Amino acid sequence: MTLLVPVATTRAVGRVNPVAKLLAAVILSLSLLLSIDWVSAGVALVLEAVLLGWAGLPWRAFWRRTLPLWIAAPVSVIATSLYGQDAGAVIGRAGFITVTEGSVALAFAIGLRILAVGIPGIVLFATTDPTDLADGLGQVLRLPARFVLGGLAGIRLVGLFVDDWRQLGLARRARGVADVGGPIGALKRTAGMAFALLVLSVRRGSKLATAMEAKGFGADTPRTWARPSTFGRPEYFLVALGTAIAAVSIATAIAAGTWSFVLA
Amino acid sequence: MLAQQADTLSEAGVWVPGRAPVLPARAGRTARDGALLDAVELGVGRRRGVPVADGIGARIVAGRALAVTGPNGAGKSTLALTLAGLLPEVSGELTASRVLADGAASSPIRWRSRELLTRIGTVFQDPEHQFLAGTVRDELAVGPRALRLGSRETADRVDELLERLRLDHLAGANPFTLSGGEKRRLSVATVLVARPSILVLDEPTFGQDARTWRELVALAAELLDDGSAVVAVTHDADFVDVLADDVLELGTARAHVAARRLSASRAARNPATRLQQTAASAVSGTAGARS
Ligand SMILES: Nc1ncnc2c1ncn2[C@@H]1O[C@H](COP(=O)(O)OP(=O)(O)OP(=O)(O)O)[C@@H](O)[C@H]1O
Ligand SMILES: [Mg+2]
């Protein structure tokens, strides 16, 4: 669960306003979703890989956090190769499964895309402190404070869930019921703990709501922010970088003739 | 005015400044020489290899109460959970005596959950973490059931504790709906029902009114008289004064138990002397309020 905790970094990326990270990631992802072809995804991925060194994320943390992508990408490559829409020359056939040049190309387009869209998102947010993000969303994007801080409080509570869950487990051992009933007993206990966690969270949530109400979140008057969130040169640079990667990958794909607009 | 009504208020559970709660008279305690648990150079922590406190030496002895004190975050709760056989030791050793182990392994963390019940009972800092059943009565029956006691024996123990801790009128209520003090009393009762040799309490008196405080202290004192050991994590100086034989202060460079001056602790347990101390603390202006 430590995966939810932001990585502290001394790199410049750690100081960039999270709103800029969000914008860069959104621009990049949306552009890559406009077409499904392997060239644009591949080019974006290569450019991202070059920039990874500046991301401020230690390699161990990088692999741990992006692990889901490294599982999802190969799985979808294999699945699409086998079951994807067939086109072009047949490469192999077994029963009703046919692998064709078309389905393999599609498979790689999808697999690379999962990585190209996923990696920048994960990497940029790994070094983002939720509090900074909330400050940015409230001040730079001017989203309603109630919405932003409510969301932030929710993220903060996740850490408490983890502690609660551990305590619930220890308490079951202390109460003498932690090792009865074999696998079925274990399943029942997990369900019981999940329910207890739900009860605890609902209660904590309503306490939080009362506290927010008491701090005037129910009112419409403008709020002030304790930490100013600014949007300056590093921020514009990061957004420009994201846009540039998107532009280069699209241009390369069009030049290579593989670009296929999904909405066309 | 306050002075006139102090007795009534205190009896009803109000903390009256300068008035420590009066304790019920107790039988004199027989000192026993039964070490139950031995901690040597013990390091405790939530994660392997990351101690939050170490070099702890402590011996838990039948009939003696050990108070664990120290600033927030010093690792008191972590130590309590480790002594209770719930967290593995990070370094050093925690050994159960042959009497306590009673045929089980010598390391409490290796005991099975059910073996733990009659040996070490733990009252968690947050009572809500340890509730399992839908009603107060069922909650109390969890332990006896895990021990496979007969329904007769179970009912007897449950009824006795319900009454003892003033929970009888709540027998059918859901534990989560109780007040803070009732939850605390219930969490203590759920542990006592299994009659453990060692009772581990984490901040038992936090947020309790004077009446519940008095009951908790009286209960712990009774257990001590019966030869159980008590380990209490607490910030409550009065609680330490009245109950503790030994005090372990965490957060200092190396934590070792300092046996309290015997005369002082014995005196503190004697209600008559206790009153003198009350008078003294009234003079020095100690407030009776408890956070
Ligand atoms: N689940 C956990 N995971 C990791 N670290 C934890 C966890 N729970 C507590 N800690 C850390 O372990 C240290 C000791 O915590 P512990 O709860 O034992 O302190 P304590 O002395 O009981 O404090 P308090 O008086 O506030 O109850 C603290 O620094 C705390 O941040
Ligand atoms: Mg604690």
Side-chain angles (χ1 to χ4, degrees):
Chain A
M1 277 306 193
T2 47
L3 293 181
L4 295 164
V5 179
V7 172
T9 174
T10 49
R11 295 267 186 188
V13 178
R15 287 194 302 276
V16 174
N17 194 318
V19 171
K21 296 184 189 174
L22 185 66
L23 283 178
V26 166
I27 291 172
L28 193 53
S29 316
L30 286 184
S31 326
L32 286 179
L33 292 178
L34 291 179
S35 157
I36 298 186
D37 70 291
W38 67 271
V39 174
S40 63
V43 169
L45 196 57
V46 168
L47 294 176
E48 287 162 10
V50 171
L51 293 172
L52 263 185
W54 284 273
L57 196 62
W59 283 110
R60 263 180 63 101
F62 171 78
W63 291 116
R64 268 175 23 142
R65 285 175 193 246
T66 53
L67 184 66
L69 298 178
W70 300 107
I71 296 170
V75 167
S76 53
V77 166
I78 293 169
T80 315
S81 307
L82 298 183
Y83 306 109
Q85 205 171 38
D86 292 324
V90 173
I91 299 172
R93 190 191 296 268
F96 59 90
I97 297 171
T98 41
V99 178
T100 56
E101 275 173 2
S103 65
V104 169
L106 186 66
F108 277 92
I110 290 175
L112 289 174
R113 206 154 298 270
I114 289 175
L115 296 176
V117 171
I119 288 176
I122 290 178
V123 167
L124 288 176
F125 281 94
T127 53
T128 297
D129 184 82
T131 312
D132 293 341
L133 178 59
D135 280 332
L137 291 177
Q139 295 170 59
V140 179
L141 297 187
R142 308 214 172 275
L143 295 180
R146 203 180 338 172
F147 164 74
V148 168
L149 295 182
L152 174 62
I155 292 176
R156 288 286 184 232
L157 287 182
V158 170
L160 294 180
F161 287 166
V162 178
D163 286 347
D164 272 336
W165 185 258
R166 286 205 191 108
Q167 289 293 107
L168 287 170
L170 295 182
R172 259 107 196 119
R173 172 163 162 80
R175 297 287 318 267
V177 297
D179 45 32
V180 286
I184 294 177
L187 209 65
K188 271 193 201 160
R189 255 188 320 282
T190 309
M193 278 166 63
F195 185 72
L197 189 66
L198 186 70
V199 172
L200 291 175
S201 334
V202 168
R203 295 163 70 85
R204 200 169 276 144
S206 52
K207 261 184 230 160
L208 186 71
T210 315
M212 284 186 73
E213 189 63 40
K215 287 177 184 260
F217 279 93
D220 290 330
T221 43
R223 302 185 70 85
T224 54
W225 295 81
R227 294 165 299 266
S229 179
T230 55
F231 207 90
R233 239 187 243 174
E235 282 74 26
Y236 286 114
F237 179 72
L238 186 67
V239 175
L241 205 58
T243 316
I245 295 178
V248 170
S249 52
I250 290 176
T252 315
I254 291 175
T258 60
W259 178 262
S260 59
F261 193 46
V262 282
L263 302 178
Chain B
M1 175 63 197
L2 190 61
Q4 278 168 16
Q5 297 302 324
D7 280 331
T8 326
L9 287 172
S10 181
E11 181 61 30
V14 177
W15 287 105
V16 181
R19 173 173 286 267
V22 183
L23 284 170
R26 296 182 38 220
R29 291 195 310 104
T30 45
R32 276 162 228 250
D33 186 33
L36 297 175
L37 263 184
D38 247 320
V40 179
E41 288 288 309
L42 181 66
V44 299
R46 309 270 175 166
R47 269 181 295 157
R48 206 177 298 169
V50 193
V52 294
D54 58 8
I56 300 167
R59 168 169 286 188
I60 294 161
V61 182
R64 282 178 85 85
L66 169 68
V68 180
T69 63
N72 291 131
K76 303 183 297 295
S77 297
T78 312
L79 173 62
L81 293 171
T82 309
L83 292 176
L86 300 174
L87 290 177
E89 49 269 57
V90 171
S91 60
E93 255 178 85
L94 180 69
T95 325
S97 73
R98 216 169 275 159
V99 177
L100 181 66
D102 189 23
S106 68
S107 170
I109 189 67
R110 301 208 349 248
W111 294 345
R112 288 183 308 138
S113 179
R114 186 148 58 85
E115 293 176 323
L116 208 52
L117 263 185
T118 51
R119 291 172 175 82
I120 310 178
T122 313
V123 178
F124 282 70
Q125 190 159 4
D126 184 350
E128 292 189 351
H129 284 138
Q130 62 183 93
F131 292 154
L132 299 168
T135 68
V136 168
R137 175 175 287 279
D138 288 348
E139 195 64 65
L140 286 169
V142 167
R145 238 173 243 148
L147 292 173
R148 306 206 182 100
L149 300 179
S151 56
R152 182 74 177 278
E153 171 80 9
T154 303
D156 285 350
R157 288 192 187 191
V158 168
D159 288 334
E160 184 197 328
L161 277 163
L162 278 176
E163 193 191 339
R164 180 71 206 269
L165 288 168
R166 289 183 290 124
L167 294 165
D168 31 7
H169 64 291
L170 296 167
N174 185 309
F176 278 96
T177 61
L178 304 185
S179 80
E182 290 159 353
K183 275 183 196 149
R184 170 58 71 206
R185 298 205 297 271
L186 176 59
S187 68
V188 173
T190 56
V191 171
L192 292 184
V193 75
R195 310 211 170 131
S197 305
I198 301 176
L199 177 66
V200 177
L201 302 154
D202 197 348
E203 309 264 8
T205 57
F206 184 82
Q208 304 306 314
D209 72 10
R211 185 167 177 199
T212 299
W213 190 94
R214 205 164 50 229
E215 285 163 353
L216 289 174
V217 171
L219 209 59
E222 200 176 292
L223 287 171
L224 290 168
D225 287 342
D226 290 345
S228 300
V230 172
V231 177
V233 171
T234 186
H235 288 289
D236 180 343
D238 285 338
F239 191 79
V240 175
D241 260 358
V242 193
L243 211 63
D245 298 290
D246 308 300
V247 178
L248 173 65
E249 186 163 350
L250 286 190
T252 48
R254 289 173 80 75
H256 276 283
V257 179
R260 303 178 69 224
R261 280 158 297 138
L262 198 64
S263 57
S265 70
R266 280 284 148 75
R269 286 242 186 73
N270 177 333
T273 343
R274 176 73 204 153
L275 279 176
Q276 285 170 12
Q277 288 188 336
T278 308
S281 66
V283 170
S284 64
T286 319
R290 214 165 296 269
S291 54

